[in-house]
Amino acid sequence: MSNEVNHEILNVKNKVPPFLEKVLDEEQIEAVIKSRGKSIIVAGPGSGKTRVITYKIAYLFHLGIKPENILLVTYTRAAAKQMIERVKQVTNVDTKNMLAGTFHHICNTILRKYATVIGYRNDYTILDSQDSKDLLKIARSEYVQEVDDRYKLPKEEVIMKIISYSCNTLTSLRESLSEVAPYLLEYENDIEQIWSIYSRLKKDMNAMDYDDLLVNTLQLFMTHRDILKKIAEQFQYVLVDEFQDTNKIQIDLIKALSSVHGNLIVVGDDSQSIYSFRGADFKNIKKFIEEEDTKIFKIQTNYRSTAELVNFINYLLPSNSVPKTLKSYRKSYLKPFIIETFDDLEQADAVVKIIKEKVEEGLNYEDIAIIYRSHSLSMAVQQKLDVSGIPYKILSGLKFTETAHIKDIISFLKITYNIFDRISWMRILKLFAGIGDRTATKIYNRIEETLMNEPTKNFLEVLETTPLSKNKDALKFLQKLFESKDKKPNEVIDLIYEDFYKEYSYLSFDDAKLRNMDIERFSEIASRYNSIASFLDELTLSEDVRIIESGVNEKKDLITLTTVHQAKGLEWKVVIIISVNPGDFPNGLAIKENKLDEEERLFYVAITRAKDELYIIKQLTGTTNPFIKNSFFFVKKENDFIKKIPDEIINKMRIHYR
C-alpha cells in the first residue's frame, strides 16, 4: 500500500503513468488516481465510466495490488466480462483469480464455501425464475388446500414480486405490500403463510432462489463476523458499477465486504436511476456523498452527443439530482426537434416521415430508435410501420397485440363475434378459477355439439350443463358480455375490464397496473371503430402485413422500438421519443401518485441515447389518457416536460397530415 501513498504525494502531471495519460482526460485521470477510501465517481451520460473503471483496475495492478485482492461488482455479467477483457488487453495481467460479476454471482461464490454454516449443503441448487414460480405455485396450492379450494388468491407471479421486493429492500411484508401492491393488503396473512411454505420447500430440497443468494449471504455476514472478517480482509478494493441501481440489501453487502480495508469505490449517476420497481433508490448516491469522509469525483465530458444535444441535456437535468454540467466534446450539428401533432395517428405518420427522410440521407434503419415510456404507446406506430413496410425489432417486449392481457381481451371479443372460435374459448375459459385444459375442452365441446345441432338454443343454457355452472359469477359475466355484443368495441372492452378482467389482472400479474393501462389504451383505440367486426378485421390486417414481410426478423438492418428501461446503456445516431404528453410521458399513474422524480430521470435517460439527432413528438390534443380515460392532463397542461424547454435551444415544428 506504500506505493499508493507515495504516488499520491507525487501526483503531478509528469508523474501520471503514460498508459493513463494517453487514453484518459483530466477528470478521468483524477478519478482513477485519487479515488481510495470511500469514493464516488459521478459519471454523466456518455462520459466513459466503463473506461474509468477499467483503467482504475489497471492502475491498481500498476501499484502492485493483486487481482485476487480486487472485487468488481457490476449490474450484468456481460459488463463484468467486458471490463475484465479490457483490463487484460491494457495490462497483460492474468485476471483469472479476480472475483468480478453481479451481486448474485459474488454471493453464490461465497455461499459455495460457507452454505453449511447457515443450514444448507454446499451443493445447493439455484432456482431460476421459472423454477421459483413453479415451486411457489406448489406452495400456493398446498396453502389453498388448507383453506378452501374456491378461495381467491393472488397468482404466484404476483406473490413472487411482493416477497422479492421485501427481500431486496429489507422491509417487512406489510411495508412491501404497501409500496408495490396496496390493493392486496387484505391478503397479507395468506401471502405470509405461502411464503413460509415456499421457504420450507426450498430448504427441504436444498435450493435457493436468486433473492436467497443475497439474503443468505447477508445473514452469514451478520451472524458469523469471523467469516465476514476473513472475506473482507481479502478484498483491498471493492469497485461497484451502476451504483444508482443498487437496493438496500446490495448496499449492506458491499459495505460489509469493504469493512476491513475501507476502500469502497462506486460509480454511477443518480440522474439515470430508473429501477425503483426493483427497490433501487436514486437517493443512494446522495446519501453516500453525505457520509463522512466520502471523496467525490465527477467525470462530465460527454463523448456521445453533439454540442446542441449536450446543451439540451444539461437543461433537463432531473430535479433532486447531484449538480452536474456536461461538457461537449463533439462539434455542433442540429438542435433537437420538438414536433407537435394532433393525435397518435398523426404522430405515427410523422415518425414514418422522419425515418424515410433519414434513410434517403444515407442512414441505415439500425441507426434509428423509437423510444417510449410504456410499450402500449407504440401500437399506432407499429401498425404504421407495418403498413409502410419498414422493418423493425422490438426490445420492449412482445408486439402489443401478442401480450397475454391484450390477447385475453381480444379472445373475449372474438367469441362474441364467432361463438365457435375454439381457440378463443379455450383461452378465456381457463381464466376462470378451477378450470384447466381438460375442463375447458369439455365445456367447449358441449357448446359446439349443442349449438351445431340446435342453432337457436341459448348458449347460456348450455353452459348451465357444464362444469362452469358452479361459477355463478362467470355465468353472470358471460351473459352480460353476450348481451352487449352489438355495442361499440370500446364499450365491450370496458365491460370485460370492469366486470371481470381488472380483478383478474390484480390477482394474476406482478405488473397489473401497467397491464390495466394497456387495456384502457386498447379501449381508446377501439373507440375509433363502429363494430367488433371492423375492429378485429383491422387488427388481423395489421398482423397479416407483418407476416407478408417474410424474413423481416432475420434482417440486421432494423429500426429499434424500445421502452426507456430497455434503451438504457444503448445509443443511436437518431432517436425519436414519442408521446411526450402529460399522462403518457410522464406516466399518468406517476402523476396521480406524485412520483415525478423517476419520470424526470426516465426522460433524461431517453434524451441521452441520441448521438446526432433527437426528435421529441407530442400531441396537441393527444391520445386519451390511458389511466383515467379522459383528457384531464391535457386540459390542465401541468407536468409537461416540453413546457420547461426554452425555444432558443430547440427547433419547434407543427405537422399536419390529416
Side-chain angles (χ1 to χ4, degrees), residues 198-430:
Y198 175 60
S199 299
R200 172 177 55 79
L201 291 173
K202 286 187 291 183
K203 201 70 176 286
D204 289 347
M205 59 190 284
N206 191 40
M208 298 185 198
D209 62 25
Y210 289 138
D211 292 331
D212 290 330
L213 296 174
L214 307 188
V215 171
N216 289 337
T217 301
L218 188 60
Q219 179 192 345
L220 173 71
F221 289 168
M222 296 301 100
T223 56
H224 296 81
R225 296 286 178 174
D226 55 327
I227 293 176
L228 170 60
K229 185 173 183 292
K230 180 180 179 181
I231 295 170
E233 278 179 343
Q234 176 185 339
F235 300 122
Q236 295 180 28
Y237 279 83
V238 176
L239 309 179
V240 183
D241 187 21
E242 303 286 8
F243 184 66
Q244 76 278 354
D245 295 328
T246 52
N247 54 42
K248 179 67 170 94
I249 194 169
Q250 292 169 340
I251 289 174
D252 284 4
L253 284 166
I254 58 175
K255 286 189 173 181
L257 288 163
S258 61
S259 58
V260 172
H261 296 282
N263 291 311
L264 174 58
I265 301 168
V266 305
V267 183
D269 181 3
D270 58 322
S271 300
Q272 298 186 68
S273 177
I274 59 173
Y275 295 108
S276 63
F277 61 91
R278 296 178 184 167
D281 187 351
F282 76 99
K283 296 175 183 175
N284 288 343
I285 285 184
K286 277 193 173 181
K287 290 176 183 175
F288 193 86
I289 287 173
E290 290 166 359
E291 290 179 10
E292 189 177 358
D293 298 328
T294 299
K295 298 179 182 69
I296 306 166
F297 304 89
K298 294 182 181 181
I299 52 174
Q300 303 299 309
T301 300
N302 181 291
Y303 293 92
R304 175 186 299 148
S305 306
T306 64
E308 286 83 1
L309 291 181
V310 170
N311 183 37
F312 182 78
I313 291 165
N314 281 331
Y315 198 86
L316 289 168
L317 183 72
S319 306
N320 302 316
S321 289
V322 174
K324 59 181 77 74
T325 302
L326 296 178
K327 294 170 288 187
S328 175
Y329 178 80
R330 295 184 58 199
K331 295 178 181 179
S332 295
Y333 185 52
L334 286 173
K335 293 179 183 178
F337 290 85
I338 305 295
I339 299 174
E340 295 177 339
T341 62
F342 180 74
D343 59 13
D344 57 346
L345 297 178
E346 196 171 89
Q347 173 178 255
D349 289 331
V351 168
V352 168
K353 184 175 185 294
I354 292 167
I355 292 169
K356 287 182 176 178
E357 287 178 352
K358 294 300 114 183
V359 172
E360 285 175 6
E361 291 172 9
L363 268 66
N364 296 319
Y365 286 128
E366 64 185 352
D367 295 325
I368 305 169
I370 302 165
I371 299 180
Y372 33 84
R373 171 62 178 88
S374 305
H375 185 62
S376 61
L377 296 171
S378 69
M379 185 175 181
V381 172
Q382 285 185 41
Q383 290 180 325
K384 190 66 179 179
L385 292 175
D386 281 337
V387 172
S388 302
I390 295 175
Y392 62 91
K393 62 182 177 181
I394 303 175
L395 300 187
S396 53
L398 296 170
K399 206 170 180 183
F400 187 72
T401 51
E402 294 172 348
T403 54
H405 51 301
I406 298 299
K407 284 179 73 70
D408 289 342
I409 300 297
I410 291 173
S411 293
F412 278 114
L413 294 178
K414 284 182 174 181
I415 65 167
T416 66
Y417 181 62
N418 172 17
I419 203 165
F420 295 111
D421 187 327
R422 181 189 185 95
I423 300 299
S424 295
W425 268 112
M426 292 296 291
R427 185 178 187 94
I428 65 112
L429 285 170
K430 289 186 286 185

Side-chain angles (χ1 to χ4, degrees), residues 68-86:
E68 58 266 33
N69 299 131
I70 300 171
L71 173 64
L72 172 62
V73 187
T74 59
Y75 199 66
T76 64
R77 290 191 301 174
K81 184 177 180 181
Q82 179 189 43
M83 289 181 198
I84 295 304
E85 285 300 318
R86 288 187 182 181

